[in-house]
Amino acid sequence: MTTTTLRPPVRQPGHRADRPSRGHRAAALWKASPLTWVGLVLGVILSLFPFYWMIVIASRTNDAANSWPPPFLPGGKLGENIERVLANGDANVLKGLMNSFLVSGTITVATVFFGSLAGFAFAKLRFKGKNALLLIILASMMVPIQLGVLPLYILMAKLEWLNTMPSVTVPFLIGGFGIFMMRQYAEQAVPNELIEAARVDGCSTWRIYWHVVAPALRPAAAVLGLLTFMEQWNQFFWPFVVLADPANPTVQISLRSLNTAYFADNSQIFAGTLIATLPLFVIFVLFGRQIIGGIMEGAVKS
Amino acid sequence: MSLDLHADAPPDGRRPRSTRAESRRRLSLTRADLKYSPYLYVLPFFVLFAIFGAYPIAYTVWIALTDRSPLNPTISFVGLDNFVELLTNDPQFWNAVVNTFGMFAMSTVPQLLIALMLANALNRRLPAQTFFRMAIAMPIITSTAVVALIFSMIYAREFGLVNWALDLVGIDPIDWRANRFASWFAISTMVDWRWIGYNALIYLAAMQSISKDMYEAASLDGASRRRQFWSITVPQLRPTIIFTLIISTIGGLQLFTEPLLFTSGAGGISGGSEGQFQTITMYLLDVMNTRFRWGYAGAVALVLFLLIAFMSVVNYLLARRISSDK
């Protein structure tokens, strides 16, 4: 069961060989025309404006946020608004932040570990039924979570996991995306000769994984980890279903609680969105290239 | 200290002697390792998938054939009654279907077209190209919940940014939640804002793998840049366009968070005063958690899934035809 927003395309094995490697990629043919520049600058402004607007409103009093004309410059109330959000007992934003770190972190570690193990098996080991099992994994990525939401909810109730973190963690510990991505990478990053040589030296399969394969998979593991963390941090649908009790939310669900107040306090809501976005913003600033590289790598098909 | 190139060999060249029985045991261990390790490594996925994926799906099929509800003391088998009611006698469901498809079409077409244009622009010789890529991609770090809340305020009836901009050019303010098409438009822009950059990056990656020779040959033949874009770039991107179309279809038909949070207050699940922006997924939760008709909700889930599968096939066939006409 997955609801990946970032899905891998179905790639043909061996496609990398037909592609020029990064170093040899030729420069673009044409210079950007003035019209192209206008489009690009407009695109950048539209992409970034909502982030700026988030800061503007989060740093204003609510009265100033709801004024005419709307404010366009940041004010000085950011710290105050953040304090108000964190003190808001209905939303439990602090609890939500901690829960989100815990849930997303656990899933990220598990996905990278199980994904690399299974990806290694599918790429480099021989076993009966391999192709059929891989097909099941691919098919599992196509199924939306809504299809099984009701029995899953009943199951969570029976396990007494409703309103607890295992309900949003355990089902997502490993998904098809992680396995598939690791398999694609392992196929070209780990030479068969290396594995055979390790076998001849008497290495067990586990030792081969740990000492030969895992180090080679590190770049892909980093990208998978980043994408998984982002995706899990931003989950909304399933947590909304199973974490109905506002006392124990993830951060996205506490945003919802901020919004359901009778009187919508926009500066507080925006301070909340800022808090919920900040961790990913930091990750993006630090690892933006890898994230973009991961999306672009994952997209190229033969 | 000398460099030890064979770290695995015992340091002083002395191998531990093994008896025959020991080596036989080791051999069979190795065999078991070769035979069973792969299954062990893929096992975690299949255990989780069986419990939290396959079982709920199979159970949904069963539930949909019953009148199960936490309010019913007994569960009875009702056959296809739920489906018959859903398809023939449930205007609210059809309202949700129309809304979902309306917003899906309204968001997907501009989303992919703009992404294609942006990718084409990013594929030029540019200074600071990393900056441009990162700026365009940045919306993907926000959650749909955050997007919905920010745009809710941008589309506020009073003091909203869009209405303020409309006022500047002399257009009367629009009540973005009350009017059906206005609400669809507002929600579509939320979806597009978050996903255009992502799709643009995917197109850019595919564009960079198109051979430059084709463009050079076309230039020599006197083809304009626009002509080259439509006659070389777009057809070459066909598999990628199909991929993004299918991803957008799966995402678009599951639309949930943006319309839910477009209404502040507790009544979000009904999608506006007259359900003008209630989607199928919202309706599913409405049936499940407010009306407690679990069997019926199972039927809604199955029909939603069939719609997604059907639309994916339609998109695939359409995209294949459009591009091969070129």
Side-chain angles (χ1 to χ4, degrees):
Chain A
M1 179 195 66
T2 54
T3 47
T4 32
T5 46
L6 298 156
R7 284 159 199 271
V10 181
R11 288 200 291 197
Q12 306 303 315
H15 73 286
R16 274 160 202 278
D18 332 333
R19 224 158 29 93
S21 70
R22 195 172 285 249
H24 292 107
R25 201 173 271 165
L29 276 179
W30 314 281
K31 276 173 73 177
S33 67
L35 195 68
T36 308
W37 273 105
V38 172
L40 268 178
V41 170
L42 204 66
V44 168
I45 290 173
L46 287 176
S47 278
L48 298 184
F49 180 76
F51 291 101
Y52 174 71
W53 178 248
M54 183 152 87
I55 295 168
V56 170
I57 302 299
S59 60
R60 292 263 175 178
T61 64
N62 197 41
D63 284 347
N66 291 325
S67 58
W68 191 266
F72 279 99
L73 291 173
K77 303 282 181 196
L78 183 61
E80 202 175 293
N81 285 332
I82 287 178
E83 271 169 36
R84 279 199 305 143
V85 170
L86 297 180
N88 186 325
D90 295 331
N92 286 306
V93 175
L94 210 56
K95 188 89 190 274
L97 271 174
M98 278 170 3
N99 280 337
S100 280
F101 270 112
L102 184 76
V103 170
S104 310
T106 310
I107 293 175
T108 301
V109 171
T111 297
V112 169
F113 176 65
F114 291 132
S116 60
L117 255 183
F120 159 54
F122 278 117
K124 296 292 168 185
L125 301 179
R126 250 169 283 160
F127 55 102
K128 237 183 242 167
K130 181 158 110 173
N131 290 336
L133 293 179
L134 194 61
L135 211 62
I136 295 177
I137 289 178
L138 281 175
S140 79
M141 289 192 284
M142 302 293 163
V143 182
I145 189 175
Q146 281 94 328
L147 180 53
V149 66
L150 182 60
L152 207 52
Y153 178 82
I154 298 172
L155 188 65
M156 293 300 160
K158 282 194 177 143
L159 291 168
E160 298 189 352
W161 281 359
L162 290 182
N163 298 311
T164 69
M165 288 309 117
S167 67
V168 291
T169 309
V170 177
F172 304 97
L173 285 175
I174 175 66
F177 176 78
I179 296 177
F180 195 67
M181 182 177 158
M182 284 308 209
R183 171 188 174 264
Q184 296 302 93
Y185 192 82
E187 245 171 16
Q188 50 93 34
V190 188
N192 288 328
E193 294 77 23
L194 207 60
I195 291 176
E196 274 155 32
R199 281 239 191 268
V200 172
D201 282 350
C203 278
S204 67
T205 314
W206 171 258
R207 283 192 56 149
I208 293 177
Y209 165 75
W210 194 247
H211 292 290
V212 178
V213 177
L217 293 184
R218 229 173 262 163
V223 173
L224 176 63
L226 289 168
L227 295 181
T228 306
F229 190 90
M230 278 174 52
E231 190 198 337
Q232 293 305 326
W233 183 269
N234 287 335
Q235 286 282 9
F236 186 86
F237 176 75
W238 179 243
F240 175 77
V241 174
V242 284
L243 303 179
D245 178 1
N248 201 19
T250 58
V251 71
Q252 309 297 337
I253 301 300
S254 36
L255 289 182
R256 150 90 175 161
S257 302
L258 282 177
N259 192 40
T260 45
Y262 173 69
F263 169 70
D265 182 345
N266 281 322
S267 58
Q268 206 184 119
I269 293 173
F270 273 52
T273 61
L274 191 64
I275 291 173
T277 312
L278 213 55
L280 290 193
F281 181 76
V282 171
I283 289 178
F284 192 71
V285 168
L286 292 176
F287 304 107
R289 279 165 196 266
Q290 282 88 336
I291 293 169
I292 288 169
I295 294 168
M296 289 180 63
E297 276 293 302
V300 177
K301 292 169 289 180
S302 64
Chain B
M1 206 181 119
S2 67
L3 264 178
D4 187 4
L5 291 175
H6 300 276
D8 274 346
D12 50 2
R14 196 158 19 102
R15 250 171 216 291
R17 275 256 163 96
S18 52
T19 64
R20 190 172 269 216
E22 237 174 39
S23 69
R24 199 179 299 150
R25 205 180 58 219
R26 197 171 300 150
L27 199 68
S28 73
L29 257 177
T30 310
R31 246 184 235 140
D33 174 33
L34 275 177
K35 200 167 172 189
Y36 298 115
S37 294
Y39 294 107
L40 204 63
Y41 297 170
V42 302
L43 192 66
F45 172 84
F46 287 96
V47 170
L48 284 185
F49 180 65
I51 301 173
F52 300 111
Y55 162 76
I57 291 168
Y59 206 88
T60 300
V61 177
W62 163 243
I63 277 187
L65 302 172
T66 68
D67 65 352
R68 177 157 185 179
S69 159
L71 310 173
N72 285 356
T74 56
I75 304 166
S76 35
F77 184 80
V78 297
L80 294 176
D81 285 4
N82 286 328
F83 293 94
V84 172
E85 184 188 340
L86 186 66
L87 298 177
T88 61
N89 192 24
D90 188 344
Q92 205 190 336
F93 169 71
W94 288 109
N95 171 59
V97 170
V98 170
N99 291 342
T100 308
F101 275 84
M103 286 184 260
F104 159 66
M106 243 169 135
S107 60
T108 305
V109 175
Q111 179 187 331
L112 298 185
L113 278 178
I114 297 171
L116 205 54
M117 303 294 172
L118 265 181
N120 196 37
L122 287 169
N123 200 24
R124 299 292 144 100
R125 240 180 293 152
L126 286 174
Q129 62 162 317
T130 309
F131 164 77
F132 279 109
R133 285 183 192 177
M134 284 185 66
I136 298 282
M138 215 164 112
I140 63 160
I141 71 166
T142 54
S143 67
T144 46
V146 168
V147 176
L149 291 173
I150 296 174
F151 278 75
S152 282
M153 202 189 155
I154 289 179
Y155 283 110
R157 188 178 53 183
E158 288 145 65
F159 316 124
L161 210 54
V162 177
N163 278 349
W164 171 78
L166 290 178
D167 188 56
L168 283 186
V169 291
I171 298 174
D172 284 340
I174 295 171
D175 189 346
W176 293 97
R177 284 161 187 79
N179 178 294
R180 168 172 283 207
F181 287 102
S183 67
W184 288 6
F185 178 85
I187 291 164
S188 299
T189 57
M190 299 181 200
V191 177
D192 286 350
W193 180 71
R194 187 161 190 267
W195 290 108
I196 282 175
Y198 172 79
N199 285 304
L201 286 183
I202 290 180
Y203 289 145
L204 178 63
M207 279 176 189
Q208 296 194 334
S209 64
I210 301 174
S211 155
K212 306 283 179 233
D213 302 348
M214 296 176 87
Y215 294 107
E216 272 157 11
S219 294
L220 286 178
D221 288 346
S224 68
R225 262 196 226 167
R226 176 169 304 210
R227 180 72 202 275
Q228 290 176 27
F229 176 73
W230 291 109
S231 301
I232 300 175
T233 312
V234 172
Q236 288 288 316
L237 290 186
R238 195 178 71 181
T240 314
I241 291 174
I242 293 175
F243 166 67
T244 53
L245 249 178
I246 289 177
I247 295 305
S248 309
T249 306
I250 294 173
L253 296 188
Q254 292 179 39
L255 193 65
F256 173 74
T257 313
E258 293 92 338
L260 178 84
L261 293 176
F262 195 40
T263 311
S264 63
I269 204 82
S270 58
S273 51
E274 278 151 13
Q276 58 271 36
F277 50 92
Q278 186 180 49
T279 62
I280 305 176
T281 303
M282 292 161 85
Y283 181 61
L284 169 64
L285 286 192
D286 201 359
V287 172
M288 180 177 146
N289 286 343
T290 354
R291 284 183 245 168
F292 299 109
R293 291 189 63 189
W294 284 2
Y296 200 61
V300 175
L302 277 171
V303 171
L304 171 62
F305 173 67
L306 292 178
L307 280 174
I308 290 175
F310 175 74
M311 281 309 294
S312 297
V313 172
V314 168
N315 276 335
Y316 174 74
L317 294 176
L318 265 180
R320 231 175 49 160
R321 262 201 61 190
I322 290 168
S323 300
S324 57
D325 281 350
K326 291 277 170 190

